[in-house]
Amino acid sequence: MSEPLRLIDTHAHLALGQFDADREAAIVRASEAGVARIVEIGYDLPSSHAAIALATAHPQIFAVVGIQPNHVHELPAGWEAELRALCAHPKVVAVGEIGLDYHWMQGPPAAQEQLFRAQLALAQALALPVVIHSREAHADALRVLGDAARGQPGIMHSFSGDWAYAEACLELGLMLSFSGPLTFPKAVELHEVARRAPLERLLTETDSPYLSPHPQRGQRNEPARVRLVAERLAALREQPLETVAAQVWANAERIFGLKP
Ligand code: NI
């Protein structure tokens, strides 16, 4: 007898308006698909409060709180004290998502870096892992992490990049979290990373409502679809889904400090 499959979506934004019509139904669909845990991610202070509210209402949901670089231009006064207070909630398992985004460029790189470093330091002080967002900013993300967060437990969320970048992230001690793009037939660089990286360093996520996997690309995404990411990961590694899912589950427990 094998244990039932347990999947985890380590990065979702269920609090967004895209789920206003069917949030609770989406959470039920995830459970029915074997997605036994969901990590809800904040990107500013209101969404961090919302993540905690969702986590409080659902035993299988955990919260990550932080300010994403696309909100660097609207930092409220006293944000750091408020974020620190949110981190004390028992269902908060990491600081995030934090990092650099040179695609939307909502603030100058120096301001983004300052916000990123402040939150890395906060996480370090509180002994929490970090969830990192890096978009079109890989070189600077590696530089900041290399001198401010070497060995600090962290996750490169929705990993995108080639094997050289993956190796650099692994060398820093980070975990790599795959999302929908892993399932895209033409994502050959990601496929190589999925084959070569140690399974003990990999996670699965949806980034719902974004990045819906193949063959539902372009639709609103939801946590149930993390199964498609896990299946693709298993197929690429030529390992049974059960093996991959069990290791990813254990990896998430380890980095987030979840109780079995
Ligand atoms: Ni996100």
Side-chain angles (χ1 to χ4, degrees):
M1 285 294 284
S2 62
E3 305 225 326
L5 199 64
R6 287 185 303 184
L7 301 165
I8 179 163
D9 180 358
T10 66
H11 195 114
H13 302 285
L14 285 166
L16 281 170
Q18 285 94 326
F19 289 102
D20 280 351
D22 67 342
R23 183 168 295 110
E24 293 303 317
I27 293 167
V28 170
R29 283 193 293 274
S31 297
E32 288 169 353
V35 184
R37 281 176 176 160
I38 299 169
V39 184
E40 170 74 12
I41 311 282
Y43 47 84
D44 61 6
L45 290 175
S47 61
S48 295
H49 281 281
I52 291 174
L54 263 179
T56 303
H58 298 276
Q60 77 277 30
I61 299 183
F62 298 85
V64 169
V65 297
I67 300 175
Q68 202 252 21
N70 293 332
H71 299 270
V72 66
H73 60 297
E74 52 189 16
L75 280 180
W79 68 267
E80 212 164 351
E82 187 173 342
L83 184 58
R84 179 182 280 268
L86 291 180
C87 287
H89 191 280
K91 290 209 76 179
V92 169
V93 294
V95 172
E97 53 186 291
I98 62 175
L100 303 171
D101 193 318
Y102 297 172
H103 178 78
W104 296 111
M105 203 59 99
Q106 294 295 331
Q112 295 191 33
E113 182 172 330
Q114 193 177 20
L115 176 62
F116 186 19
R117 285 179 183 271
Q119 293 181 97
L120 287 170
L122 177 67
Q124 222 154 32
L126 299 175
L128 285 170
V130 288
V131 175
I132 299 155
H133 169 107
S134 169
R135 186 156 182 202
E136 296 174 25
H138 288 355
D140 280 357
L142 288 177
R143 174 179 54 78
V144 172
L145 291 163
D147 71 42
R150 187 171 291 278
Q152 188 171 352
I155 298 166
M156 197 53 87
H157 125 73
S158 193
F159 179 83
S160 70
D162 60 10
W163 174 244
Y165 178 57
E167 267 193 308
C169 292
L170 292 168
E171 195 263 325
L172 286 168
L174 299 173
M175 306 196 73
L176 313 180
S177 185
F178 288 114
S179 57
L182 184 70
T183 67
F184 298 169
K186 290 180 181 164
V188 290
E189 283 186 340
L190 276 185
H191 297 166
E192 184 189 1
V193 173
R195 283 190 203 98
R196 293 178 72 172
L199 185 57
E200 296 70 31
R201 306 289 291 280
L202 300 182
L203 294 169
T204 54
E205 64 168 79
T206 59
D207 204 15
S208 295
Y210 312 113
L211 300 177
S212 189
H214 175 80
Q216 287 140 346
R217 188 173 183 175
Q219 299 177 9
R220 186 198 69 172
N221 200 4
E222 63 175 61
R225 293 188 189 159
V226 82
R227 186 178 186 112
L228 293 166
V229 178
E231 285 174 352
R232 189 75 173 117
L233 180 59
L236 286 162
R237 298 181 65 89
E238 300 180 18
Q239 289 179 289
L241 176 60
E242 291 69 22
T243 305
V244 168
Q247 186 62 53
V248 165
W249 182 269
N251 295 344
E253 285 192 335
R254 189 172 79 244
I255 183 119
F256 291 124
L258 305 178
K259 296 206 175 71

